[in-house]
Amino acid sequence: MHIHTTRIGRRTALLGLAATATFGRTTLALAGAPTDRRLVVIVLRGALDGMAAVVPYGDPALAGLRGEILPAAPGQPDGMLDLGGFYGLHPALPNLHAMYRANEALIVHAVAANYRVRSHFEAQDYLESGTDHRMISGWLNRTVAALPSPATERPVGEALAVGLSVPLLLRGPADVANWAPHGFAQPAPDLYAAIAALNRHDPVTGPAIRQGLRARGYSDSVMAADAQPKDTFTFPALARFAGRMLRAGDGPRIAALELGGWDTHTAQANRLRGPLKQLDDGLAALKAALGPAWSQTAVLAMTEFGRTARMNGTKGTDHGTGTVAFLAGGAVAGGRVEANWPGLGPGQLFENRDLGPTTDLRAVAKGVLAGHLGLDAAALNRIFPGSEAVDGLRGQIRT
Amino acid sequence: MALVRFGLGRRGGEPLPADPAAWLLDQLRQPDPTRFDDPPTTAAGLSALREDRMTRPPNLESRSGESRSRALFKREATRHLANAIVTPAPFRERLVWFWTNHFTVSAKRGACAPVAAAFVEEAIRPHVTGRFGDMLLAAMRHPAMLLYLDNVGSVGPDSAAGQKNHRGLNENLARECLELHTVSPLAGYTQSDVTAFANILTGWSIDLQADPPGFRYRPFAREPGVQTLLHRPFPPGEAGGVAALAFLANHPATHRFLATKLVRHFVADDPPPDAVRVIEGVLRDTGGNLGAASAALVTLDAARAPGTKLRTPMEYVVASIRTLDVPPAQIPNLTGILAALGQPLWGAPAPNGWPDRAADWAGPEAMLQRVDWASGFASRIGGRDVEEIATNALGPLLRPETRDAIRQAGSRRDAAALLLTSPEFQRR
């Protein structure tokens, strides 16, 4: 049997994760690609309130909409981290602020994708599909497929998702295996082989078991060598793990991470701190783990939609429209907030409730894929169907 | 076949029904055999929550030991699963699971944990063969749902309470009820419908200090005036909410949506349109009678093709335990197993509940976790004859390849692992 003899098996010096039995749904997926550039996409599930993460404190209408849930002014104890006089970063984001000051973080504000639904579930599907309807493949998988064929023997589409399922963002024609720390004792290889054989003709269980064994061949050989404490399955730990994988010369090049906890209908000021800190610590862990490869890295963090500009009746916010997208990485031409600010005054809110969307999220993503991975307009329009009229933003990536 | 598709797998060598369809329909006609001594109640759950809030500091870091809420949740979750393993009415139990998932409340929201079991027993189980409208009303008024989707603090901005305290609306429950519980986006509702429905539901809250604690309608929080939802006016007061739910329960889009979900769950990931139309017609003609809709599922031609659905981890684990006929005292800790397999009981990540397509459960690592668990669990076979157990469990569904593999396995335990991981056992 050849189940454990896989090509990815060679690379396992990168991995080191210990078993835990309480792993949830997917949080990290990785894909190989014929490039030295690294791309990390973070899906912030649950609708991040862009105006809480990047507060437009210079807008005179802001305090009237949500005074009670605003962080203190820049310079005050636990105050916002200033971004040049109009915007302030939430105080739980110091690492992102340091990246911003080092010109490695670019914030795009008042951004929204091209759908206008306010359902999390539809919107996340659309966000990952890269269009205004649900497709069976995600835009990041199509990105992998659009990259030129490798000159070397590195297999195309070799990908690994960490967790129990593959997010739609990375589903598609390029094969993605997945891996999660396993909590149950494993049977002997010959029983695995017999089980795989018994399932080989089943269209669902057959390929799943085959790919799963392949992915484990990839990861298990180093588990004993570099085990980590069992409680490390936090977002920063997965980001660090992603960074180590991406750093290696022959490692994967594309990673997708997820982070939830953004659906702050109540007590937002308290409830946002935790996920923001996770995001911030994760970005720092990713940067540290990437080491010198950080200079070739771009990170895009995006969410399905924003939240209402006005605080609701329970000191939270409801589903809205415009929000922020974050770009970070050594390859990012950062140090600024890019926004065509729509204003928050009377008549300026979208449908009299939400931050107006003035930048198309697809323009942000297309700009990154063009600038960072060198994809041309035709490829970008295949990756984001129906986006012909939307040009990628220029100048997001260092040249 | 009936035991596999509509039930939870045959339990050991329990007698097979002479007429499978009649056996299923009989389960719908007879009262639910589930009887808990000291059943879970909202009052007990909310009392535990109240006590935890009084005695335990809100800061997570400084807590120690297990809260009363958590302990209650664990006890009830264990009891719920133990009942599923022995129930003589597995079709009915599957319907309880289905509707519990349709009206997801998740213990991931801590306050919901102590009332999650009460939600199932009070809002779902009594109505699985009754009218959908009754279930909808029971679910929407249940403190578990009101807590989970944030309605307890939603206040009409122009109500007395709203004017006095400058508080306002929280539209979470209203939005999810339209999207996930009733008409679905097919109905083409707008933001103003969501806002109107949220206004209609203001005042639907809980009283944690009452004795016993439970649902409480707070008239001073109710947004005044008539509200228009999907072009219909609904009156002020608690009655407006009851009327709106009755309207939504019998909306044609709701019937279509529920029929699609039922057929997807019991027949195929891609629901055959003809089958959906049949169930939709039954719901329409009976005013949303769920017993009639369930009976119609049993007689669908499309439901006769075997093995079209992959068992979810919960279905799979319970079926495995039934198949090996593990004595109740030796049943492993199922809540931990389900969490490790990615489907913790009453712990869905979001209000749309657990997914219901094979692709969502058949990630490579998910399949291997299942294989690993089953391979370990297979040791429970002891000295019994695996081929006989396989024949008992699967009957005509058992493939010759699997029978051969079982015969050729190096040990009884390996043979049992092969049975439990065979594609026909993983399907229903």
Side-chain angles (χ1 to χ4, degrees):
Chain A
M1 68 167 253
H2 298 283
I3 284 164
H4 287 287
T5 55
T6 68
R7 298 167 99 170
I8 39 183
R10 297 180 280 117
R11 299 203 193 138
T12 50
L14 323 166
L15 272 150
L17 291 169
T20 167
T22 54
F23 200 73
R25 310 285 289 176
T26 310
T27 43
L28 165 65
L30 298 147
T35 171
D36 284 328
R37 297 295 188 102
R38 275 79 164 173
L39 175 64
V40 180
V41 179
I42 304 174
V43 181
L44 306 172
R45 293 193 191 281
L48 163 67
D49 184 5
M51 296 215 297
V54 182
V55 185
Y57 71 84
D59 192 305
L62 180 69
L65 293 169
R66 44 165 67 195
E68 272 188 79
I69 54 172
L70 288 176
Q76 305 277 321
D78 198 27
M80 288 177 248
L81 308 166
D82 195 32
L83 299 175
F86 185 84
Y87 301 101
L89 208 52
H90 191 284
L93 296 169
N95 291 307
L96 183 61
H97 191 238
M99 290 174 193
Y100 180 92
R101 291 171 54 135
N103 298 329
E104 291 180 343
L106 170 64
I107 288 158
V108 189
H109 217 319
V111 68
N114 56 316
Y115 47 78
R116 289 290 170 267
V117 297
R118 290 195 181 95
S119 149
H120 291 302
F121 317 111
E122 290 181 292
Q124 287 175 23
D125 283 351
Y126 303 166
L127 178 73
E128 294 175 73
S129 296
T131 184
D132 61 355
H133 55 273
R134 183 184 160 99
M135 300 176 65
I136 56 171
S137 68
W139 65 260
L140 199 53
N141 189 296
R142 296 195 295 275
T143 298
V144 174
L147 290 167
S149 296
T152 65
E153 49 110 69
R154 180 187 287 157
V156 177
E158 182 175 278
L160 172 69
V162 174
L164 292 181
S165 69
V166 178
L168 175 59
L169 185 65
L170 250 185
R171 285 193 208 167
D175 253 6
V176 179
N178 73 341
W179 181 88
H182 13 284
F184 302 112
Q186 293 174 43
D190 59 341
L191 181 55
Y192 270 146
I195 290 168
L198 201 51
N199 282 275
R200 69 183 175 275
H201 295 305
D202 187 290
V204 174
T205 62
I209 291 175
R210 239 182 350 263
Q211 288 178 12
L213 289 172
R214 200 176 74 112
R216 279 195 184 170
Y218 184 17
S219 55
D220 281 359
S221 53
V222 291
M223 288 222 359
D226 188 14
Q228 295 192 351
K230 163 177 181 147
D231 59 352
T232 54
F233 266 85
T234 57
F235 181 77
L238 283 169
R240 183 179 312 113
F241 170 62
R244 293 167 66 196
M245 298 281 290
L246 295 166
R247 174 178 177 164
D250 62 349
R253 291 293 173 260
I254 312 275
L257 290 127
E258 314 174 304
L259 179 60
W262 308 105
D263 196 19
T264 47
H265 285 281
T266 58
Q268 170 164 313
N270 280 331
R271 287 174 60 181
L272 258 186
R273 275 184 181 274
L276 283 173
K277 183 171 182 342
Q278 290 271 304
L279 175 64
D280 193 61
D281 289 349
L283 288 170
L286 182 69
K287 176 176 177 174
L290 276 162
W294 175 252
S295 67
Q296 293 170 299
T297 298
V299 182
L300 166 63
M302 59 184 195
T303 190
E304 68 262 34
F305 45 68
R307 309 191 68 83
T308 47
R310 277 181 207 93
M311 185 180 84
N312 70 10
T314 48
K315 295 191 170 49
T317 50
D318 292 323
H319 302 182
T321 308
T323 183
V324 288
F326 298 109
L327 286 174
V332 170
R336 61 204 161 87
V337 179
E338 180 155 328
N340 175 12
W341 187 248
L344 301 173
Q348 293 177 313
L349 294 179
F350 178 70
E351 296 183 355
N352 187 31
R353 60 179 264 144
D354 304 339
L355 175 61
T358 52
T359 298
D360 191 319
L361 180 61
R362 296 173 302 170
V364 179
K366 284 177 111 174
V368 171
L369 298 186
H372 195 53
L373 300 179
L375 292 171
D376 62 21
L380 293 172
N381 290 333
R382 283 195 299 275
I383 292 168
F384 296 99
S387 71
E388 288 76 7
V390 180
D391 287 331
L393 295 181
R394 292 174 192 280
Q396 297 180 129
I397 301 294
R398 289 178 200 284
T399 48
Chain B
M1 169 71 194
L3 286 84
V4 172
R5 157 130 311 164
F6 290 103
L8 291 161
R10 188 175 177 191
R11 185 163 174 237
E14 70 182 344
L16 287 173
D19 180 346
W23 174 72
L24 293 171
L25 297 176
D26 199 46
Q27 292 180 42
L28 302 175
R29 278 191 292 263
Q30 301 294 328
D32 193 312
T34 299
R35 293 279 177 277
F36 293 114
D37 310 327
D38 173 26
T41 63
T42 294
L46 291 181
S47 299
L49 180 65
R50 179 172 63 193
E51 186 172 312
D52 286 340
R53 285 188 175 173
M54 284 190 306
T55 58
R56 300 169 70 82
N59 184 347
L60 272 171
E61 275 85 352
S62 59
R63 289 184 186 179
S64 60
E66 191 176 55
S67 67
R68 272 199 62 197
S69 299
R70 206 68 216 168
L72 190 60
F73 175 79
K74 275 199 206 160
R75 183 185 92 134
E76 297 298 353
T78 303
R79 218 155 60 136
H80 180 84
L81 291 165
N83 174 63
I85 287 163
V86 299
T87 181
F91 182 29
R92 236 189 138 94
E93 200 63 19
R94 285 277 306 284
L95 290 168
V96 171
W97 290 4
F98 173 84
W99 291 112
T100 299
N101 196 49
H102 180 76
F103 288 107
T104 288
V105 296
S106 176
K108 284 187 81 114
R109 189 79 182 262
C112 298
V115 278
F119 178 76
V120 177
E121 299 306 322
E122 294 165 351
I124 304 296
R125 190 184 295 281
H127 302 296
V128 296
T129 56
R131 287 178 58 245
F132 177 70
D134 294 338
M135 185 188 285
L136 176 65
L137 180 61
M140 296 292 285
R141 285 170 73 102
H142 200 280
M145 183 64 82
L146 296 169
L147 283 164
Y148 181 51
L149 292 177
D150 301 315
N151 210 67
V152 291
S154 183
V155 172
D158 297 325
S159 68
Q163 292 291 306
K164 182 161 168 250
N165 302 320
H166 303 289
R167 297 178 59 196
L169 220 49
N170 186 313
E171 63 185 35
N172 204 16
L173 178 64
R175 180 184 301 285
E176 304 301 21
C177 180
L178 291 173
E179 177 183 344
L180 302 174
H181 302 153
T182 59
V183 292
S184 86
L186 291 172
Y189 53 82
T190 64
Q191 177 59 42
S192 69
D193 289 313
V194 174
T195 306
F197 191 30
N199 281 329
I200 290 171
L201 293 176
T202 48
W204 290 41
S205 186
I206 66 168
D207 188 342
L208 211 50
Q209 304 312 324
D211 196 20
F215 173 82
R216 167 129 176 242
Y217 176 69
R218 299 182 184 276
F220 296 116
R222 175 57 150 92
E223 179 71 0
V226 170
Q227 301 288 330
T228 302
L229 168 62
L230 290 168
H231 314 295
R232 294 279 184 113
F234 290 97
E238 188 179 6
V242 174
L245 289 173
F247 163 69
L248 291 171
N250 269 317
H251 194 287
T254 300
H255 293 154
R256 165 69 61 89
F257 181 56
L258 298 180
T260 306
K261 280 189 80 171
L262 278 165
V263 173
R264 174 175 295 127
H265 184 74
F266 285 100
V267 176
D269 287 2
D270 294 317
D274 290 350
V276 173
R277 272 192 291 275
V278 170
I279 304 303
E280 188 185 352
V282 172
L283 287 169
R284 183 189 57 229
D285 296 343
T286 62
N289 185 313
L290 300 180
S294 307
L297 282 169
V298 170
T299 53
L300 286 173
D301 283 342
R304 298 211 172 110
T308 52
K309 291 287 294 183
L310 189 74
R311 280 175 161 151
T312 64
M314 186 155 150
E315 293 162 6
Y316 179 72
V317 167
V318 169
S320 297
I321 291 168
R322 286 172 70 98
T323 294
L324 295 199
D325 203 9
V326 178
Q330 294 170 29
I331 289 170
N333 170 14
L334 296 186
T335 53
I337 293 165
L338 292 179
L341 292 178
Q343 196 184 20
L345 184 65
W346 306 327
N352 56 341
W354 299 112
D356 202 5
R357 291 184 178 91
D360 295 305
W361 294 110
E365 183 59 28
M367 290 306 303
L368 281 202
Q369 301 271 14
R370 204 181 259 222
V371 164
D372 291 351
W373 173 77
S375 301
F377 176 69
S379 63
R380 304 290 185 105
I381 191 70
R384 290 175 289 168
D385 181 340
V386 180
E387 197 179 338
E388 185 187 327
I389 288 174
T391 309
N392 281 344
L394 294 170
L397 300 174
L398 184 65
R399 299 178 310 155
E401 298 98 293
T402 303
R403 190 183 292 276
D404 288 347
I406 287 170
R407 283 181 184 159
Q408 288 159 18
S411 66
R412 282 201 174 87
R413 177 180 166 167
D414 283 6
L418 287 162
L419 162 62
L420 298 178
T421 58
S422 65
E424 59 267 46
F425 190 84
Q426 298 204 49
R427 292 174 169 279
R428 62 167 168 82

